[in-house]
């Protein structure tokens, strides 16, 4: 395994290599990331993973400075999973000049997290396009846990004819349903006990739709009751949206995605459920 920190070292390592898979991450790797890595490994001759906490995608009052950065442990995870190349750049390497060019994916970025994290998806799309241009992989892997991120990237790649296939990987969960996330580390024991209510509420909502409910407000109200039953939980949004552009639907008459964000103490958690 090669660990590099500069764009020129990535290019040198990957020169003349074909069938490259890329897994972009912010590190603090867990089984969710490992699942992306294993999926990518099975389909790629060379597997590259990037570890970069991207300042562009954090708002001024968000957790950029306290975001976990356990690089030595992350490298062990990569080594154990037979990763070929780890690209762990500094902020200066990624942004040697002020970033004047940014990727704005309209509409798909508008609702859900986009509404509460202004500029977040611009930061995500911009750094992902940079990583795709640096590594030039045939395929890049993203988790369905971050549904809006996955759809923003898919749309960017289509709109801009970026020569890469985007692969979505199903969400990996704890036995009690909580989606794995680097931010779960922030939860104390009581908060951790309250957290599975998010997945439970999403599943209840999905089941209500599968049972025939067509009115988003009714589905939402029932789910809000489940979430509001816990005094530790504050709901940021709970929306039923179309699967492509993630626009809220007024009637449920086809496949939808149910997506939610909650706060537990100082920790923000997101999750989603698909209904086909
Ligand atoms: P992050 O390091 O949080 O930016 O995540 C890097 C990639 O791993 C993103 O594509 C995430 O969607 C994906 N990911 C994070 N958590 C999970 C999970 N529990 N299951 C599947 N993929 C995940």
């Amino acid at each position: 395994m090669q660990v590099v920190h500069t764009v020129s070292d990535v290019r040198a390592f990957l020169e003349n290599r074909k069938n490259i898979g890329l897994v972009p991450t912010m590190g603090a790797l867990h089984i969710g990331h490992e699942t992306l890595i294993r999926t990518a490994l099975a389909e790629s001759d060379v597997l590259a993973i990037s570890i970069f906490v991207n300042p562009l995608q954090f708002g001024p009052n968000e957790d950029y400075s306290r975001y976990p950065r356990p690089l030595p442990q992350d490298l062990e995870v990569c080594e154990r999973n037979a990763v070929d190349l780890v690209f762990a750049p500094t902020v200066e390497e990624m942004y040697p000049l002020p970033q004047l060019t940014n990727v704005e994916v309209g509409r798909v970025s508008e609702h859900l997290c986009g509404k509460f994290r202004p500029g977040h998806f611009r930061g995500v799309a911009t750094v992902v396009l940079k990583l795709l241009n640096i590594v030039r992989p045939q395929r890049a892997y993203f988790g369905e846990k971050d549904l809006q991120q996955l759809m923003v990237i898919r749309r960017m790649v289509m709109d801009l004819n970026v020569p890469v296939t985007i692969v979505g990987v199903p969400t990996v969960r704890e036995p009690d349903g909580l989606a794995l996330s680097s931010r779960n580390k922030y939860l104390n024991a009581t908060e951790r006990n309250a957290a599975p209510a998010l997945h439970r509420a999403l599943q209840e909502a999905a089941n209500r739709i599968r049972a025939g409910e067509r009115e988003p407000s009714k589905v939402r109200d029932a789910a809000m009751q489940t979430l509001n039953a816990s005094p530790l939980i504050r709901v940021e949004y709970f929306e039923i949206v179309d699967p492509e552009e993630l626009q809220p639907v007024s009637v449920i008459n086809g496949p939808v995605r149910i997506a939610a964000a909650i706060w537990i103490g100082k920790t923000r958690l997101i999750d989603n459920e698909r209904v086909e």
Side-chain angles (χ1 to χ4, degrees):
M1 184 174 84
Q2 192 85 7
V3 182
V4 303
H5 305 282
T6 66
V7 173
S8 58
D9 283 348
V10 173
R11 292 256 163 86
F13 183 86
L14 293 175
E15 206 179 2
N16 302 322
R17 304 297 293 265
K18 291 213 171 64
N19 195 16
I20 300 165
L22 171 67
V23 177
T25 80
M26 299 202 299
L29 301 180
H30 50 65
I31 315 281
H33 297 113
E34 286 193 61
T35 306
L36 295 192
I37 292 174
R38 287 186 195 141
T39 308
L41 199 59
E43 302 172 348
S44 311
D45 294 332
V46 188
L47 178 57
I49 164 167
S50 59
I51 298 179
F52 179 59
V53 185
N54 172 35
L56 237 54
Q57 71 189 68
F58 286 80
N61 300 315
E62 294 184 354
D63 55 346
Y64 175 68
S65 49
R66 75 174 179 133
Y67 198 87
R69 291 164 170 85
L71 189 61
Q73 287 99 302
D74 286 349
L75 294 180
E76 274 174 38
V77 173
C78 293
E79 186 93 65
R80 178 150 43 80
N81 284 282
V83 169
D84 297 293
L85 178 71
V86 180
F87 176 44
T90 59
V91 172
E92 293 71 32
E93 180 68 14
M94 284 300 277
Y95 302 111
L97 299 170
Q99 187 73 17
L100 300 184
T101 310
N102 290 284
V103 184
E104 190 89 46
V105 182
R107 214 136 71 206
V108 189
S109 305
E110 191 183 336
H111 294 282
L112 313 180
C113 294
K115 200 164 183 171
F116 296 91
R117 303 186 71 187
H120 170 66
F121 289 113
R122 184 191 312 129
V124 168
T126 302
V127 80
V128 169
L129 186 58
K130 281 168 76 79
L131 290 167
L132 293 174
N133 283 333
I134 292 166
V135 175
R136 285 172 288 189
Q138 273 62 53
R139 285 170 313 287
Y141 296 80
F142 294 87
E144 289 176 358
K145 196 210 62 146
D146 300 282
L147 172 71
Q148 195 171 15
Q149 166 171 285
L150 172 62
M151 297 318 288
V152 163
I153 302 300
R154 280 197 193 287
R155 189 55 176 260
M156 171 186 79
V157 160
M158 273 197 271
D159 285 352
L160 298 178
N161 301 89
V162 184
V164 67
T165 300
I166 301 300
V167 183
V169 179
T171 304
V172 181
R173 299 178 181 283
E174 301 281 5
D176 61 11
L178 176 65
L180 296 187
S181 162
S182 307
R183 291 191 167 98
N184 293 352
K185 292 188 175 70
Y186 298 151
L187 300 169
N188 67 30
T190 12
E191 292 170 340
R192 173 65 187 79
N193 280 336
L198 174 57
H199 179 56
R200 234 179 14 251
L202 286 163
Q203 277 190 312
E204 281 169 13
N207 287 334
R208 215 166 264 268
I209 298 171
R210 290 180 192 120
E213 182 56 67
R214 293 290 170 259
E215 212 170 303
S217 63
K218 292 210 177 119
V219 177
R220 190 170 178 277
D221 289 350
M224 292 295 280
Q225 271 184 18
T226 302
L227 291 167
N228 289 332
S230 166
L232 293 181
I233 293 179
R234 183 174 73 73
V235 180
E236 186 175 87
Y237 68 78
F238 191 101
E239 298 284 349
I240 299 163
V241 297
D242 77 81
E244 293 301 324
E245 295 190 348
L246 310 183
Q247 302 293 298
V249 297
S250 51
V251 187
I252 302 163
N253 53 15
V256 290
R257 302 292 177 260
I258 316 169
I262 62 169
W263 285 90
I264 304 187
K266 287 188 164 52
T267 306
R268 185 176 179 277
L269 301 177
I270 59 170
D271 202 347
N272 66 87
E273 189 75 24
R274 49 163 75 213
V275 185
E276 297 303 344

